[in-house]
Amino acid sequence: MDDDDWRAPAVPLAVDLVILTLRESRLHVLLVERGVDPYRGALALPGGFLSHLEEGLLDAARRELAEEADLAEVPYLEELGVYGDPGRDPRGRVVSVAFLAIAPRLPEPVAGTDAAAASWRPVEPLLSGEEELAFDHRRIVADGVEHARRKLEHSALATAFCDATFTIAELQQVYEAVWGIRLDPRNFYRKVQGARGFIVAAGPARRTDGGRPARLFRAGPLHSLYPPMVRSAHAVHEGAPIDE
Amino acid sequence: MDDDDWRAPAVPLAVDLVILTLRESRLHVLLVERGVDPYRGALALPGGFLSHLEEGLLDAARRELAEEADLAEVPYLEELGVYGDPGRDPRGRVVSVAFLAIAPRLPEPVAGTDAAAASWRPVEPLLSGEEELAFDHRRIVADGVEHARRKLEHSALATAFCDATFTIAELQQVYEAVWGIRLDPRNFYRKVQGARGFIVAAGPARRTDGGRPARLFRAGPLHSLYPPMVRSAHAVHEGAPIDE
DNA sequence: TCAATAGTGTCTGTTAGACATTATGCC
DNA sequence: GGCATAATGTCTAACAGACACTATTGA
């Protein structure tokens, strides 16, 4: 922002949503089938243009969340990044602000108003390029997943994948699914209990899942974890050691 | 991005730059004095509107970096976030994409083309609100500093504050200045050497600084650090334990 | 020689990671 | 009781943090 001429070029602004959830212990993202050109029939992230000139970006994200995904509320919604390469949209210059949302496991594939064409898709075929996505949405999904992976380490983001109350085993499944590794339940139990403020006991309630019933917890007050949940060294496998 | 009417509201797009450097062992940010309303005479981040409709965001950031800061090249430049609250600019809706840049210590306060009014300012009075900034630039600076703090832990970002070659003591000063804590030189030495790929020896060259000359290093190939440089527990002091 | 910083060594408490053991439900 | 999972305990190697010590220069 500076002393430039106020008559600056104006750009159509859109928001795109990377909505992640867990289904059958695998990470899924919500996609919609496009009904119009360009990329008619292709899979794309839910999203859309600002509805009017004064709409806030987060407001637009929440509106699309409700309209396209039929999700009135999600426990986590935050900006992911800006995608504004000239040429990313064949119609012309469009700058899109991507948001990352996390939703707990939902009753069934959404079937709402605009959300008829929406469906949950496992992320792996999308990341590998096995399945195609419209625009630059593959990169956005990849950035969203990577963002979630990193954030699981240092924040209580994992609880956003769970219901209001959950067992420690369920929380562990979140880490295993998002990180794509296996964790020792005993050590995980200790670790997660040691990060005070992460989860708090939710009364004496219990839940059975075949074996001994487990205690229920809910998300604690802290959003920043200390000590962090480290992706153990033996989990160094996927990415090359050189990134960025 | 979806099936909406293509005739979407278009918004003037700007880029703002948070350019950080170290001066006298303190973290500084580059600010310019505004020459026009609004906020005429106030301090603001360097930046400006897109020059034309097809200009890339990173391109715009680099252009402003050269024009307003006289910095042809910086070792680190990355998107920081989007600031698009309606009302953040009294002239009307403006969405700004903020970039974080890191520059090594520079010969002298920049004095270039547009950069006459630019000056390096210590960040603390800005973060505390003691010094005023135009628009929402205080928040952007705060986000940029926080981003840098976090990134020092897991990436080789610290080397971007240094010249091409540097001593381990100089690298330590970066951590101490950005984190605002003191570190033990002996343990820091071991730690930084243990993170292989972080820094590599730069020949047998040496440099004197009062005592025994130190070995010179340059940035290594890895951008992602393992093991990370942890802000030690005793350094938990500044922010409340609850964030986000 | 001393002053000052670079670089190495050592010790100790804590923790990650491996795995044994006990507890508590349901069939 | 038998089975499955929850929860706790134990051990060991590794590491963070503290600090003693040696090394190498200039004054």
Side-chain angles (χ1 to χ4, degrees), chain B residues 148-170:
Chain B
R149 283 188 176 143
R150 289 185 190 278
K151 199 138 191 178
L152 277 198
E153 295 193 62
H154 302 279
S155 81
L157 181 64
T159 58
F161 283 94
C162 301
D163 294 320
T165 65
F166 50 85
T167 68
I168 290 185
E170 287 167 352

mmCIF file with all atom_site columns, all heavy atoms in Angstrom, chain B residues 148-170:
data_model
loop_
_atom_site.group_PDB
_atom_site.id
_atom_site.type_symbol
_atom_site.label_atom_id
_atom_site.label_alt_id
_atom_site.label_comp_id
_atom_site.label_asym_id
_atom_site.label_entity_id
_atom_site.label_seq_id
_atom_site.pdbx_PDB_ins_code
_atom_site.Cartn_x
_atom_site.Cartn_y
_atom_site.Cartn_z
_atom_site.occupancy
_atom_site.B_iso_or_equiv
_atom_site.pdbx_formal_charge
_atom_site.auth_seq_id
_atom_site.auth_comp_id
_atom_site.auth_asym_id
_atom_site.auth_atom_id
_atom_site.pdbx_PDB_model_num
ATOM 1   N N   . ALA B 1 148 ? 8.240  -15.545 11.196 1.00 0.00 ? 148 ALA B N   1
ATOM 2   C CA  . ALA B 1 148 ? 9.696  -15.739 11.186 1.00 0.00 ? 148 ALA B CA  1
ATOM 3   C C   . ALA B 1 148 ? 10.138 -16.515 12.420 1.00 0.00 ? 148 ALA B C   1
ATOM 4   O O   . ALA B 1 148 ? 10.977 -17.417 12.335 1.00 0.00 ? 148 ALA B O   1
ATOM 5   C CB  . ALA B 1 148 ? 10.397 -14.383 11.125 1.00 0.00 ? 148 ALA B CB  1
ATOM 6   N N   . ARG B 1 149 ? 9.564  -16.183 13.566 1.00 0.00 ? 149 ARG B N   1
ATOM 7   C CA  . ARG B 1 149 ? 9.938  -16.882 14.801 1.00 0.00 ? 149 ARG B CA  1
ATOM 8   C C   . ARG B 1 149 ? 9.688  -18.365 14.692 1.00 0.00 ? 149 ARG B C   1
ATOM 9   O O   . ARG B 1 149 ? 10.527 -19.183 15.055 1.00 0.00 ? 149 ARG B O   1
ATOM 10  C CB  . ARG B 1 149 ? 9.142  -16.314 15.976 1.00 0.00 ? 149 ARG B CB  1
ATOM 11  C CG  . ARG B 1 149 ? 9.664  -14.998 16.460 1.00 0.00 ? 149 ARG B CG  1
ATOM 12  C CD  . ARG B 1 149 ? 8.990  -14.544 17.743 1.00 0.00 ? 149 ARG B CD  1
ATOM 13  N NE  . ARG B 1 149 ? 9.593  -13.303 18.213 1.00 0.00 ? 149 ARG B NE  1
ATOM 14  C CZ  . ARG B 1 149 ? 8.941  -12.306 18.781 1.00 0.00 ? 149 ARG B CZ  1
ATOM 15  N NH1 . ARG B 1 149 ? 7.636  -12.396 18.969 1.00 0.00 ? 149 ARG B NH1 1
ATOM 16  N NH2 . ARG B 1 149 ? 9.573  -11.223 19.161 1.00 0.00 ? 149 ARG B NH2 1
ATOM 17  N N   . ARG B 1 150 ? 8.514  -18.702 14.219 1.00 0.00 ? 150 ARG B N   1
ATOM 18  C CA  . ARG B 1 150 ? 8.178  -20.118 14.088 1.00 0.00 ? 150 ARG B CA  1
ATOM 19  C C   . ARG B 1 150 ? 9.077  -20.797 13.071 1.00 0.00 ? 150 ARG B C   1
ATOM 20  O O   . ARG B 1 150 ? 9.540  -21.917 13.261 1.00 0.00 ? 150 ARG B O   1
ATOM 21  C CB  . ARG B 1 150 ? 6.724  -20.285 13.637 1.00 0.00 ? 150 ARG B CB  1
ATOM 22  C CG  . ARG B 1 150 ? 5.710  -19.941 14.697 1.00 0.00 ? 150 ARG B CG  1
ATOM 23  C CD  . ARG B 1 150 ? 4.303  -20.248 14.197 1.00 0.00 ? 150 ARG B CD  1
ATOM 24  N NE  . ARG B 1 150 ? 3.294  -19.716 15.074 1.00 0.00 ? 150 ARG B NE  1
ATOM 25  C CZ  . ARG B 1 150 ? 2.889  -20.331 16.185 1.00 0.00 ? 150 ARG B CZ  1
ATOM 26  N NH1 . ARG B 1 150 ? 3.393  -21.497 16.511 1.00 0.00 ? 150 ARG B NH1 1
ATOM 27  N NH2 . ARG B 1 150 ? 1.965  -19.782 16.961 1.00 0.00 ? 150 ARG B NH2 1
ATOM 28  N N   . LYS B 1 151 ? 9.304  -20.095 11.976 1.00 0.00 ? 151 LYS B N   1
ATOM 29  C CA  . LYS B 1 151 ? 10.027 -20.726 10.878 1.00 0.00 ? 151 LYS B CA  1
ATOM 30  C C   . LYS B 1 151 ? 11.494 -20.947 11.208 1.00 0.00 ? 151 LYS B C   1
ATOM 31  O O   . LYS B 1 151 ? 12.147 -21.817 10.625 1.00 0.00 ? 151 LYS B O   1
ATOM 32  C CB  . LYS B 1 151 ? 9.876  -19.872 9.615  1.00 0.00 ? 151 LYS B CB  1
ATOM 33  C CG  . LYS B 1 151 ? 10.177 -20.640 8.347  1.00 0.00 ? 151 LYS B CG  1
ATOM 34  C CD  . LYS B 1 151 ? 9.218  -20.355 7.213  1.00 0.00 ? 151 LYS B CD  1
ATOM 35  C CE  . LYS B 1 151 ? 9.454  -21.363 6.096  1.00 0.00 ? 151 LYS B CE  1
ATOM 36  N NZ  . LYS B 1 151 ? 8.565  -21.217 4.966  1.00 0.00 ? 151 LYS B NZ  1
ATOM 37  N N   . LEU B 1 152 ? 12.033 -20.166 12.128 1.00 0.00 ? 152 LEU B N   1
ATOM 38  C CA  . LEU B 1 152 ? 13.426 -20.384 12.530 1.00 0.00 ? 152 LEU B CA  1
ATOM 39  C C   . LEU B 1 152 ? 13.607 -21.780 13.111 1.00 0.00 ? 152 LEU B C   1
ATOM 40  O O   . LEU B 1 152 ? 14.685 -22.361 13.022 1.00 0.00 ? 152 LEU B O   1
ATOM 41  C CB  . LEU B 1 152 ? 13.844 -19.360 13.580 1.00 0.00 ? 152 LEU B CB  1
ATOM 42  C CG  . LEU B 1 152 ? 14.301 -17.979 13.143 1.00 0.00 ? 152 LEU B CG  1
ATOM 43  C CD1 . LEU B 1 152 ? 15.064 -17.310 14.264 1.00 0.00 ? 152 LEU B CD1 1
ATOM 44  C CD2 . LEU B 1 152 ? 15.150 -18.039 11.906 1.00 0.00 ? 152 LEU B CD2 1
ATOM 45  N N   . GLU B 1 153 ? 12.564 -22.289 13.724 1.00 0.00 ? 153 GLU B N   1
ATOM 46  C CA  . GLU B 1 153 ? 12.686 -23.577 14.392 1.00 0.00 ? 153 GLU B CA  1
ATOM 47  C C   . GLU B 1 153 ? 12.888 -24.726 13.417 1.00 0.00 ? 153 GLU B C   1
ATOM 48  O O   . GLU B 1 153 ? 13.707 -25.607 13.653 1.00 0.00 ? 153 GLU B O   1
ATOM 49  C CB  . GLU B 1 153 ? 11.423 -23.867 15.213 1.00 0.00 ? 153 GLU B CB  1
ATOM 50  C CG  . GLU B 1 153 ? 11.198 -22.910 16.354 1.00 0.00 ? 153 GLU B CG  1
ATOM 51  C CD  . GLU B 1 153 ? 10.119 -23.431 17.304 1.00 0.00 ? 153 GLU B CD  1
ATOM 52  O OE1 . GLU B 1 153 ? 10.316 -24.495 17.892 1.00 0.00 ? 153 GLU B OE1 1
ATOM 53  O OE2 . GLU B 1 153 ? 9.072  -22.762 17.439 1.00 0.00 ? 153 GLU B OE2 1
ATOM 54  N N   . HIS B 1 154 ? 12.130 -24.696 12.361 1.00 0.00 ? 154 HIS B N   1
ATOM 55  C CA  . HIS B 1 154 ? 12.066 -25.884 11.511 1.00 0.00 ? 154 HIS B CA  1
ATOM 56  C C   . HIS B 1 154 ? 12.688 -25.680 10.140 1.00 0.00 ? 154 HIS B C   1
ATOM 57  O O   . HIS B 1 154 ? 12.671 -26.582 9.323  1.00 0.00 ? 154 HIS B O   1
ATOM 58  C CB  . HIS B 1 154 ? 10.612 -26.315 11.330 1.00 0.00 ? 154 HIS B CB  1
ATOM 59  C CG  . HIS B 1 154 ? 9.933  -26.604 12.611 1.00 0.00 ? 154 HIS B CG  1
ATOM 60  N ND1 . HIS B 1 154 ? 10.083 -27.796 13.263 1.00 0.00 ? 154 HIS B ND1 1
ATOM 61  C CD2 . HIS B 1 154 ? 9.151  -25.833 13.404 1.00 0.00 ? 154 HIS B CD2 1
ATOM 62  C CE1 . HIS B 1 154 ? 9.393  -27.771 14.386 1.00 0.00 ? 154 HIS B CE1 1
ATOM 63  N NE2 . HIS B 1 154 ? 8.821  -26.598 14.500 1.00 0.00 ? 154 HIS B NE2 1
ATOM 64  N N   . SER B 1 155 ? 13.193 -24.497 9.880  1.00 0.00 ? 155 SER B N   1
ATOM 65  C CA  . SER B 1 155 ? 13.776 -24.270 8.565  1.00 0.00 ? 155 SER B CA  1
ATOM 66  C C   . SER B 1 155 ? 15.083 -23.521 8.704  1.00 0.00 ? 155 SER B C   1
ATOM 67  O O   . SER B 1 155 ? 15.443 -23.053 9.771  1.00 0.00 ? 155 SER B O   1
ATOM 68  C CB  . SER B 1 155 ? 12.817 -23.465 7.686  1.00 0.00 ? 155 SER B CB  1
ATOM 69  O OG  . SER B 1 155 ? 12.923 -22.090 8.002  1.00 0.00 ? 155 SER B OG  1
ATOM 70  N N   . ALA B 1 156 ? 15.758 -23.418 7.609  1.00 0.00 ? 156 ALA B N   1
ATOM 71  C CA  . ALA B 1 156 ? 17.056 -22.755 7.593  1.00 0.00 ? 156 ALA B CA  1
ATOM 72  C C   . ALA B 1 156 ? 16.901 -21.256 7.363  1.00 0.00 ? 156 ALA B C   1
ATOM 73  O O   . ALA B 1 156 ? 17.833 -20.590 6.913  1.00 0.00 ? 156 ALA B O   1
ATOM 74  C CB  . ALA B 1 156 ? 17.933 -23.390 6.516  1.00 0.00 ? 156 ALA B CB  1
ATOM 75  N N   . LEU B 1 157 ? 15.730 -20.733 7.691  1.00 0.00 ? 157 LEU B N   1
ATOM 76  C CA  . LEU B 1 157 ? 15.455 -19.319 7.450  1.00 0.00 ? 157 LEU B CA  1
ATOM 77  C C   . LEU B 1 157 ? 16.512 -18.401 8.056  1.00 0.00 ? 157 LEU B C   1
ATOM 78  O O   . LEU B 1 157 ? 16.808 -17.333 7.518  1.00 0.00 ? 157 LEU B O   1
ATOM 79  C CB  . LEU B 1 157 ? 14.083 -18.970 8.024  1.00 0.00 ? 157 LEU B CB  1
ATOM 80  C CG  . LEU B 1 157 ? 13.612 -17.527 7.831  1.00 0.00 ? 157 LEU B CG  1
ATOM 81  C CD1 . LEU B 1 157 ? 13.419 -17.218 6.365  1.00 0.00 ? 157 LEU B CD1 1
ATOM 82  C CD2 . LEU B 1 157 ? 12.318 -17.275 8.593  1.00 0.00 ? 157 LEU B CD2 1
ATOM 83  N N   . ALA B 1 158 ? 17.089 -18.806 9.171  1.00 0.00 ? 158 ALA B N   1
ATOM 84  C CA  . ALA B 1 158 ? 18.044 -17.939 9.863  1.00 0.00 ? 158 ALA B CA  1
ATOM 85  C C   . ALA B 1 158 ? 19.201 -17.529 8.947  1.00 0.00 ? 158 ALA B C   1
ATOM 86  O O   . ALA B 1 158 ? 19.717 -16.407 9.056  1.00 0.00 ? 158 ALA B O   1
ATOM 87  C CB  . ALA B 1 158 ? 18.580 -18.639 11.113 1.00 0.00 ? 158 ALA B CB  1
ATOM 88  N N   . THR B 1 159 ? 19.586 -18.402 8.060  1.00 0.00 ? 159 THR B N   1
ATOM 89  C CA  . THR B 1 159 ? 20.715 -18.075 7.182  1.00 0.00 ? 159 THR B CA  1
ATOM 90  C C   . THR B 1 159 ? 20.386 -16.914 6.256  1.00 0.00 ? 159 THR B C   1
ATOM 91  O O   . THR B 1 159 ? 21.289 -16.260 5.748  1.00 0.00 ? 159 THR B O   1
ATOM 92  C CB  . THR B 1 159 ? 21.123 -19.291 6.347  1.00 0.00 ? 159 THR B CB  1
ATOM 93  O OG1 . THR B 1 159 ? 19.998 -19.736 5.589  1.00 0.00 ? 159 THR B OG1 1
ATOM 94  C CG2 . THR B 1 159 ? 21.610 -20.428 7.228  1.00 0.00 ? 159 THR B CG2 1
ATOM 95  N N   . ALA B 1 160 ? 19.099 -16.671 6.041  1.00 0.00 ? 160 ALA B N   1
ATOM 96  C CA  . ALA B 1 160 ? 18.710 -15.565 5.166  1.00 0.00 ? 160 ALA B CA  1
ATOM 97  C C   . ALA B 1 160 ? 19.041 -14.214 5.795  1.00 0.00 ? 160 ALA B C   1
ATOM 98  O O   . ALA B 1 160 ? 19.149 -13.208 5.094  1.00 0.00 ? 160 ALA B O   1
ATOM 99  C CB  . ALA B 1 160 ? 17.222 -15.644 4.836  1.00 0.00 ? 160 ALA B CB  1
ATOM 100 N N   . PHE B 1 161 ? 19.209 -14.189 7.102  1.00 0.00 ? 161 PHE B N   1
ATOM 101 C CA  . PHE B 1 161 ? 19.586 -12.956 7.789  1.00 0.00 ? 161 PHE B CA  1
ATOM 102 C C   . PHE B 1 161 ? 21.086 -12.692 7.673  1.00 0.00 ? 161 PHE B C   1
ATOM 103 O O   . PHE B 1 161 ? 21.542 -11.598 7.993  1.00 0.00 ? 161 PHE B O   1
ATOM 104 C CB  . PHE B 1 161 ? 19.219 -13.032 9.272  1.00 0.00 ? 161 PHE B CB  1
ATOM 105 C CG  . PHE B 1 161 ? 17.767 -12.838 9.576  1.00 0.00 ? 161 PHE B CG  1
ATOM 106 C CD1 . PHE B 1 161 ? 16.918 -13.916 9.700  1.00 0.00 ? 161 PHE B CD1 1
ATOM 107 C CD2 . PHE B 1 161 ? 17.238 -11.565 9.741  1.00 0.00 ? 161 PHE B CD2 1
ATOM 108 C CE1 . PHE B 1 161 ? 15.574 -13.743 9.988  1.00 0.00 ? 161 PHE B CE1 1
ATOM 109 C CE2 . PHE B 1 161 ? 15.903 -11.374 10.034 1.00 0.00 ? 161 PHE B CE2 1
ATOM 110 C CZ  . PHE B 1 161 ? 15.064 -12.467 10.155 1.00 0.00 ? 161 PHE B CZ  1
ATOM 111 N N   . CYS B 1 162 ? 21.829 -13.702 7.272  1.00 0.00 ? 162 CYS B N   1
ATOM 112 C CA  . CYS B 1 162 ? 23.293 -13.597 7.268  1.00 0.00 ? 162 CYS B CA  1
ATOM 113 C C   . CYS B 1 162 ? 23.806 -13.330 5.856  1.00 0.00 ? 162 CYS B C   1
ATOM 114 O O   . CYS B 1 162 ? 23.094 -13.499 4.869  1.00 0.00 ? 162 CYS B O   1
ATOM 115 C CB  . CYS B 1 162 ? 23.912 -14.888 7.787  1.00 0.00 ? 162 CYS B CB  1
ATOM 116 S SG  . CYS B 1 162 ? 23.407 -15.316 9.459  1.00 0.00 ? 162 CYS B SG  1
ATOM 117 N N   . ASP B 1 163 ? 25.060 -12.915 5.802  1.00 0.00 ? 163 ASP B N   1
ATOM 118 C CA  . ASP B 1 163 ? 25.730 -12.799 4.511  1.00 0.00 ? 163 ASP B CA  1
ATOM 119 C C   . ASP B 1 163 ? 25.967 -14.196 3.947  1.00 0.00 ? 163 ASP B C   1
ATOM 120 O O   . ASP B 1 163 ? 25.653 -15.189 4.579  1.00 0.00 ? 163 ASP B O   1
ATOM 121 C CB  . ASP B 1 163 ? 27.054 -12.063 4.695  1.00 0.00 ? 163 ASP B CB  1
ATOM 122 C CG  . ASP B 1 163 ? 26.834 -10.618 5.112  1.00 0.00 ? 163 ASP B CG  1
ATOM 123 O OD1 . ASP B 1 163 ? 25.913 -9.987  4.584  1.00 0.00 ? 163 ASP B OD1 1
ATOM 124 O OD2 . ASP B 1 163 ? 27.599 -10.139 5.980  1.00 0.00 ? 163 ASP B OD2 1
ATOM 125 N N   . ALA B 1 164 ? 26.553 -14.217 2.748  1.00 0.00 ? 164 ALA B N   1
ATOM 126 C CA  . ALA B 1 164 ? 26.794 -15.495 2.086  1.00 0.00 ? 164 ALA B CA  1
ATOM 127 C C   . ALA B 1 164 ? 27.604 -16.426 2.983  1.00 0.00 ? 164 ALA B C   1
ATOM 128 O O   . ALA B 1 164 ? 27.337 -17.621 3.070  1.00 0.00 ? 164 ALA B O   1
ATOM 129 C CB  . ALA B 1 164 ? 27.502 -15.276 0.753  1.00 0.00 ? 164 ALA B CB  1
ATOM 130 N N   . THR B 1 165 ? 28.601 -15.883 3.652  1.00 0.00 ? 165 THR B N   1
ATOM 131 C CA  . THR B 1 165 ? 29.317 -16.683 4.644  1.00 0.00 ? 165 THR B CA  1
ATOM 132 C C   . THR B 1 165 ? 29.181 -16.016 6.004  1.00 0.00 ? 165 THR B C   1
ATOM 133 O O   . THR B 1 165 ? 29.066 -14.792 6.094  1.00 0.00 ? 165 THR B O   1
ATOM 134 C CB  . THR B 1 165 ? 30.810 -16.827 4.294  1.00 0.00 ? 165 THR B CB  1
ATOM 135 O OG1 . THR B 1 165 ? 31.428 -15.543 4.352  1.00 0.00 ? 165 THR B OG1 1
ATOM 136 C CG2 . THR B 1 165 ? 30.994 -17.424 2.906  1.00 0.00 ? 165 THR B CG2 1
ATOM 137 N N   . PHE B 1 166 ? 29.203 -16.842 7.023  1.00 0.00 ? 166 PHE B N   1
ATOM 138 C CA  . PHE B 1 166 ? 28.933 -16.335 8.366  1.00 0.00 ? 166 PHE B CA  1
ATOM 139 C C   . PHE B 1 166 ? 29.546 -17.283 9.379  1.00 0.00 ? 166 PHE B C   1
ATOM 140 O O   . PHE B 1 166 ? 29.836 -18.441 9.074  1.00 0.00 ? 166 PHE B O   1
ATOM 141 C CB  . PHE B 1 166 ? 27.435 -16.210 8.584  1.00 0.00 ? 166 PHE B CB  1
ATOM 142 C CG  . PHE B 1 166 ? 26.671 -17.453 8.209  1.00 0.00 ? 166 PHE B CG  1
ATOM 143 C CD1 . PHE B 1 166 ? 26.524 -18.497 9.106  1.00 0.00 ? 166 PHE B CD1 1
ATOM 144 C CD2 . PHE B 1 166 ? 26.129 -17.588 6.933  1.00 0.00 ? 166 PHE B CD2 1
ATOM 145 C CE1 . PHE B 1 166 ? 25.836 -19.645 8.748  1.00 0.00 ? 166 PHE B CE1 1
ATOM 146 C CE2 . PHE B 1 166 ? 25.444 -18.745 6.573  1.00 0.00 ? 166 PHE B CE2 1
ATOM 147 C CZ  . PHE B 1 166 ? 25.299 -19.775 7.478  1.00 0.00 ? 166 PHE B CZ  1
ATOM 148 N N   . THR B 1 167 ? 29.707 -16.777 10.573 1.00 0.00 ? 167 THR B N   1
ATOM 149 C CA  . THR B 1 167 ? 30.181 -17.634 11.656 1.00 0.00 ? 167 THR B CA  1
ATOM 150 C C   . THR B 1 167 ? 28.991 -18.169 12.433 1.00 0.00 ? 167 THR B C   1
ATOM 151 O O   . THR B 1 167 ? 27.879 -17.655 12.333 1.00 0.00 ? 167 THR B O   1
ATOM 152 C CB  . THR B 1 167 ? 31.085 -16.849 12.624 1.00 0.00 ? 167 THR B CB  1
ATOM 153 O OG1 . THR B 1 167 ? 30.290 -15.880 13.316 1.00 0.00 ? 167 THR B OG1 1
ATOM 154 C CG2 . THR B 1 167 ? 32.193 -16.124 11.873 1.00 0.00 ? 167 THR B CG2 1
ATOM 155 N N   . ILE B 1 168 ? 29.267 -19.189 13.214 1.00 0.00 ? 168 ILE B N   1
ATOM 156 C CA  . ILE B 1 168 ? 28.192 -19.769 14.012 1.00 0.00 ? 168 ILE B CA  1
ATOM 157 C C   . ILE B 1 168 ? 27.704 -18.776 15.055 1.00 0.00 ? 168 ILE B C   1
ATOM 158 O O   . ILE B 1 168 ? 26.512 -18.722 15.374 1.00 0.00 ? 168 ILE B O   1
ATOM 159 C CB  . ILE B 1 168 ? 28.666 -21.089 14.657 1.00 0.00 ? 168 ILE B CB  1
ATOM 160 C CG1 . ILE B 1 168 ? 28.815 -22.147 13.556 1.00 0.00 ? 168 ILE B CG1 1
ATOM 161 C CG2 . ILE B 1 168 ? 27.710 -21.564 15.728 1.00 0.00 ? 168 ILE B CG2 1
ATOM 162 C CD1 . ILE B 1 168 ? 29.158 -23.515 14.045 1.00 0.00 ? 168 ILE B CD1 1
ATOM 163 N N   . ALA B 1 169 ? 28.613 -17.948 15.541 1.00 0.00 ? 169 ALA B N   1
ATOM 164 C CA  . ALA B 1 169 ? 28.190 -16.928 16.512 1.00 0.00 ? 169 ALA B CA  1
ATOM 165 C C   . ALA B 1 169 ? 27.222 -15.938 15.871 1.00 0.00 ? 169 ALA B C   1
ATOM 166 O O   . ALA B 1 169 ? 26.254 -15.504 16.504 1.00 0.00 ? 169 ALA B O   1
ATOM 167 C CB  . ALA B 1 169 ? 29.415 -16.196 17.047 1.00 0.00 ? 169 ALA B CB  1
ATOM 168 N N   . GLU B 1 170 ? 27.468 -15.604 14.610 1.00 0.00 ? 170 GLU B N   1
ATOM 169 C CA  . GLU B 1 170 ? 26.548 -14.688 13.922 1.00 0.00 ? 170 GLU B CA  1
ATOM 170 C C   . GLU B 1 170 ? 25.176 -15.322 13.756 1.00 0.00 ? 170 GLU B C   1
ATOM 171 O O   . GLU B 1 170 ? 24.143 -14.671 13.924 1.00 0.00 ? 170 GLU B O   1
ATOM 172 C CB  . GLU B 1 170 ? 27.130 -14.299 12.555 1.00 0.00 ? 170 GLU B CB  1
ATOM 173 C CG  . GLU B 1 170 ? 28.301 -13.332 12.662 1.00 0.00 ? 170 GLU B CG  1
ATOM 174 C CD  . GLU B 1 170 ? 29.073 -13.192 11.350 1.00 0.00 ? 170 GLU B CD  1
ATOM 175 O OE1 . GLU B 1 170 ? 28.783 -13.958 10.405 1.00 0.00 ? 170 GLU B OE1 1
ATOM 176 O OE2 . GLU B 1 170 ? 29.950 -12.334 11.277 1.00 0.00 ? 170 GLU B OE2 1
#
